[in-house]
Amino acid sequence: MDRTVQLNYRHPARRSAGRPPTGPPSPRLRAARVLAANWTGASTVPSRNLYPHQWSWDSAFIAIGLRHVSPARAQKELETLFAAQWADGRIPHIVFNPSVPLDAYFPSPDFWRSTTAGRAAGAPRTVQTSGIVQPPVHALAAWLVHRADPALSRGRGFLARVYPRLAAWHRYLLHRRDLGGGGLVSVVHPWEQGMDNSPCWDAPLARIAPAPARSFRRADLDHGAPGDRPTDLDYGRYVRLAADYRERGYADGGGEFAVEDPAFNALLIASEHALARIAEELGAPGAARRDRAARLTAALVERLWDPAAGLFLCRDLRGGDTLVPERGVSGLVPLLLPGLPRPIAAALVRTVTGPHFSLGDRTRLVPSHDLLAESFDPHRYWRGPAWFNTNWLLERGLRAHGETAVADALRTAVVELADATDFAEYVDPYTGEPCGATGFGWTAALALDLCHRRPAPPERQKLDKSPREGVSALSTGTFDQSDKGGDRG
């Protein structure tokens, strides 16, 4: 840990010398301990055993929680990731730790070969990374980290350093990944969207010939139950897509898999709003970025909204440019957006609380897939289990759109289930049974964040509440709600 981080770390539950302990550690203290245990000195691993490197959107979510105990360390988390950015602007989904043995995780650096296969795209020469990306939540994370301690951020020049990198990242996505020509960003591998094994990928993946099973070894099965993980067939298809992308020198546009995903694009829009705030903090105008966010929101509605399904769907560009008829949690994430049309926001709230996801009725956390679908599985990776990062996003969206009571219940459920499961990677949405790894980085970080964001008092809830049929329009200040300095109390 560097000296700056040591000096600025604030223990969340420090007690004065000599005072006897008053009871078991609080959830926020236990969450902070997970983050401390997963810290490597420059970044935080998602899981010591299962995921021993730095992951892109994990680090963004982890920084959001870290800001409450050490804003300097949260800044370092993001800056370490950005240091591995490619010259074309992409932020790779994995930054490899050279001290970790190659056989500890697959695909390993010798599979991706970023320094050679990625040379034309500007991969860094001094650090090994993957060649694909993950959802662009980074600008939102950077803005929230700045707001946690603006004086420290300004003193260290944090936003001035990261803004050019964030702008280049968004430029890469908007210019290189508009593969459908409709203004939205496409993912070229299921791992890029982050919800790796979602049934939303079944139809697009079915066209992919899998890599031979003998050509790779699945290290994930050493630490996770096979019944909870992707099948060998799906994994073989993931490997084939990644290898083909590598052989093209990580050039975009020529692969067999190209999907416009609602969550990926919603997080880009949210981060465009955050970049507008960052630009203004640095003394530059933010209007152009807000205009871009509005255009992207309109494109999202035009291309991916399905009124019959009551949520956004994925668009399969290589499968006839059609919508994929699967209700995944990805289709609910746009509730996060401030410029969403009122009827669509209201419909999303009805869907999340209705029979397909049943929040507040049969489930305390929103499942990752439609409860009524034949493909639903309460334990298998992203095919039904509830994940803490998507529920954090939905809590934020529900609160922003006036659904305060639902948001408060979801906030409580995230904190309680995270703590009760030893900060599990994901849980059974019906029972809360932990699945995957424990001591998971973003689970601890986002539970910690919600511990520091208090529910509104009952009288404020009444004022904020709006009918589900007519959710009020939101201002562009949505991303400041409950995130100002001094809320860490």
Side-chain angles (χ1 to χ4, degrees), residues 35-70:
L35 297 179
N38 290 4
W39 177 248
T40 67
S43 63
T44 308
V45 297
S47 162
R48 280 289 181 182
N49 293 324
L50 189 53
Y51 305 107
H53 302 286
Q54 183 179 25
W55 262 258
S56 173
W57 76 326
D58 290 74
S59 277
F61 287 122
I62 286 166
I64 289 169
L66 277 176
R67 68 193 173 114
H68 297 293
V69 292
S70 174

Side-chain angles (χ1 to χ4, degrees), residues 226-294:
D228 291 352
R229 306 293 298 175
T231 65
D232 287 342
L233 176 60
D234 283 336
Y235 212 91
R237 287 168 169 154
Y238 302 153
V239 172
R240 170 71 70 188
L241 280 173
D244 289 350
Y245 193 37
R246 178 195 66 206
E247 295 310 307
R248 297 197 308 273
Y250 298 111
D252 296 309
E256 298 178 79
F257 186 99
V259 175
E260 293 175 354
D261 173 75
F264 195 101
N265 281 279
L267 289 172
L268 176 61
I269 296 166
S271 280
E272 277 291 312
H273 282 291
L275 268 186
R277 303 306 299 265
I278 293 172
E280 291 167 344
E281 171 69 21
L282 295 173
R289 293 204 174 275
R290 289 198 178 91
D291 289 345
R292 182 179 293 119

Side-chain angles (χ1 to χ4, degrees), residues 60-101:
F61 287 122
I62 286 166
I64 289 169
L66 277 176
R67 68 193 173 114
H68 297 293
V69 292
S70 174
R73 187 171 136 195
Q75 292 174 25
K76 188 174 181 66
E77 182 79 36
L78 293 173
E79 290 181 297
T80 300
L81 177 67
F82 298 159
Q85 186 172 25
W86 291 27
D88 66 1
R90 81 181 76 193
I91 295 175
H93 99 295
I94 302 175
V95 181
F96 290 105
N97 182 343
S99 68
V100 173

Side-chain angles (χ1 to χ4, degrees), residues 85-396:
Q85 186 172 25
W86 291 27
D88 66 1
R90 81 181 76 193
I91 295 175
H93 99 295
I94 302 175
V95 181
F96 290 105
N97 182 343
S99 68
V100 173
L102 287 178
D103 62 357
Y105 182 80
F106 179 85
S108 50
D110 56 344
F111 173 87
W112 295 103
R113 305 172 204 161
S114 62
T115 56
T116 54
R119 186 176 301 150
R125 296 181 179 181
T126 58
V127 62
Q128 296 274 4
T129 76
S130 64
I132 60 175
V133 302
Q134 278 191 323
V137 69
H138 310 87
L140 175 58
W143 176 245
L144 296 182
V145 167
H146 164 76
R147 293 296 297 156
D149 194 334
L152 175 69
S153 175
R154 292 173 188 135
R156 299 185 71 234
F158 170 64
L159 291 182
R161 288 197 306 276
V162 302
Y163 181 81
R165 293 187 176 275
L166 291 167
W169 168 221
H170 285 208
R171 192 160 51 247
Y172 164 77
L173 292 172
L174 292 165
H175 292 177
R176 303 288 186 89
R177 290 297 191 89
D178 181 8
L179 304 181
L184 295 183
V185 171
S186 297
V187 296
V188 299
H189 195 291
W191 289 339
E192 291 199 312
Q193 192 264 0
M195 304 175 194
D196 309 4
N197 196 38
S198 168
C200 298
W201 310 131
D202 288 356
L205 276 176
R207 300 187 298 272
I208 310 302
R214 64 183 180 276
S215 66
F216 61 91
R217 188 189 76 82
R218 294 184 58 180
D220 63 316
L221 298 182
D222 294 341
H223 306 285
D228 291 352
R229 306 293 298 175
T231 65
D232 287 342
L233 176 60
D234 283 336
Y235 212 91
R237 287 168 169 154
Y238 302 153
V239 172
R240 170 71 70 188
L241 280 173
D244 289 350
Y245 193 37
R246 178 195 66 206
E247 295 310 307
R248 297 197 308 273
Y250 298 111
D252 296 309
E256 298 178 79
F257 186 99
V259 175
E260 293 175 354
D261 173 75
F264 195 101
N265 281 279
L267 289 172
L268 176 61
I269 296 166
S271 280
E272 277 291 312
H273 282 291
L275 268 186
R277 303 306 299 265
I278 293 172
E280 291 167 344
E281 171 69 21
L282 295 173
R289 293 204 174 275
R290 289 198 178 91
D291 289 345
R292 182 179 293 119
R295 291 195 300 272
L296 287 167
T297 301
L300 183 74
V301 171
E302 179 182 353
R303 292 183 64 78
L304 303 186
W305 174 249
D306 188 300
L311 79 172
F312 292 86
L313 301 178
C314 293
R315 181 174 288 275
D316 182 5
L317 299 180
R318 301 291 186 257
D321 196 23
T322 56
L323 295 177
V324 177
E326 292 282 358
R327 292 180 174 90
V329 70
S330 172
L332 302 172
V333 170
L335 189 62
L336 179 71
L337 299 178
L340 207 59
R342 292 169 59 187
I344 289 179
L348 285 172
V349 173
R350 290 193 295 271
T351 299
V352 80
T353 56
H356 294 284
F357 295 91
S358 201
L359 180 64
D361 182 11
R362 289 181 293 160
T363 65
R364 290 188 69 199
L365 296 183
V366 181
S368 54
H369 199 64
D370 180 0
L371 297 170
L372 305 181
E374 291 185 10
S375 54
F376 172 82
D377 186 325
H379 283 192
R380 194 178 288 277
Y381 215 63
W382 289 108
R383 301 185 75 84
W387 290 72
F388 291 91
N389 64 329
T390 52
N391 277 272
W392 181 88
L393 292 167
L394 290 172
E395 188 272 348
R396 201 170 181 85

Side-chain angles (χ1 to χ4, degrees), residues 339-484:
L340 207 59
R342 292 169 59 187
I344 289 179
L348 285 172
V349 173
R350 290 193 295 271
T351 299
V352 80
T353 56
H356 294 284
F357 295 91
S358 201
L359 180 64
D361 182 11
R362 289 181 293 160
T363 65
R364 290 188 69 199
L365 296 183
V366 181
S368 54
H369 199 64
D370 180 0
L371 297 170
L372 305 181
E374 291 185 10
S375 54
F376 172 82
D377 186 325
H379 283 192
R380 194 178 288 277
Y381 215 63
W382 289 108
R383 301 185 75 84
W387 290 72
F388 291 91
N389 64 329
T390 52
N391 277 272
W392 181 88
L393 292 167
L394 290 172
E395 188 272 348
R396 201 170 181 85
L398 287 163
R399 192 172 304 283
H401 286 278
E403 295 293 334
T404 311
V406 182
D408 284 348
L410 183 54
R411 172 193 177 276
T412 299
V414 167
V415 173
E416 290 182 353
L417 284 171
D419 186 48
T421 60
D422 193 20
F423 304 97
E425 186 177 1
Y426 52 98
V427 298
D428 182 311
Y430 290 123
T431 67
E433 177 187 349
C435 303
T438 55
F440 199 73
W442 76 29
T443 302
L446 298 176
L448 182 61
D449 181 63
L450 292 179
C451 282
H452 285 268
R453 289 202 283 120
R454 301 183 184 89
E459 61 274 16
R460 176 65 184 275
Q461 292 182 23
K462 292 177 183 177
L463 290 172
D464 288 348
K465 184 72 174 176
S466 36
R468 290 182 183 175
E469 290 75 17
V471 178
S472 61
L474 299 176
S475 73
T476 54
T478 299
F479 300 114
D480 262 352
Q481 292 182 358
S482 303
D483 294 307
K484 292 184 169 72

